[in-house]
């Protein structure tokens, strides 16, 4: 079951964005897939801004790194799963 995350949309109005668990991301994109920042952040219980900060400062836990696609960040689902399992070296 998904949690609900309240975020502001582009106009500054509150929007309800469903937060996917890591298992839901795996079902949707596959374990070798990538997820956009908003979905990736929700799956590891962090805010999207935290992931953006990790990218800018290159300080993500255990060195996980995003992929840049046309100026947007995407995160490897396998890396997120390893982060949750505590097995990223």
């Amino acid at each position: 079951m998904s949690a609900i995350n309240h975020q502001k949309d582009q106009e500054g109005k509150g929007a309800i964005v469903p937060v996917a668990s890591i298992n839901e991301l795996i079902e949707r994109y596959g374990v070798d897939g990538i997820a956009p920042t908003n979905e990736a952040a929700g799956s590891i219980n962090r805010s999207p801004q935290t992931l953006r900060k990790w990218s800018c400062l290159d300080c993500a836990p255990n060195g996980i790194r995003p992929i840049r696609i046309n100026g947007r960040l995407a995160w490897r689902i396998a890396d997120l799963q390893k982060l949750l399992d505590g097995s990223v070296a």
Side-chain angles (χ1 to χ4, degrees), residues 11-87:
E11 298 173 3
K13 299 177 183 173
I16 297 176
V17 178
V19 176
S21 70
I22 193 71
N23 292 331
E24 291 170 334
L25 290 181
I26 291 170
E27 287 177 18
R28 188 177 309 148
Y29 302 112
V31 74
D32 294 327
I34 56 173
T37 300
N38 287 342
E39 291 182 26
S43 71
I44 61 170
N45 199 26
R46 296 288 182 265
S47 74
Q49 190 59 30
T50 298
L51 272 67
R52 291 183 194 105
K53 182 178 178 180
W54 288 350
S55 174
C56 287
L57 299 178
D58 198 22
C59 65
N62 298 318
I64 65 170
R65 301 177 72 96
I67 300 168
R68 292 191 181 270
I69 302 172
N70 293 330
R72 296 190 179 259
L73 300 177
W75 301 81
R76 290 181 184 89
I77 294 172
D79 288 347
L80 298 173
Q81 187 174 23
K82 288 177 185 175
L83 179 65
L84 290 175
D85 293 341
S87 61

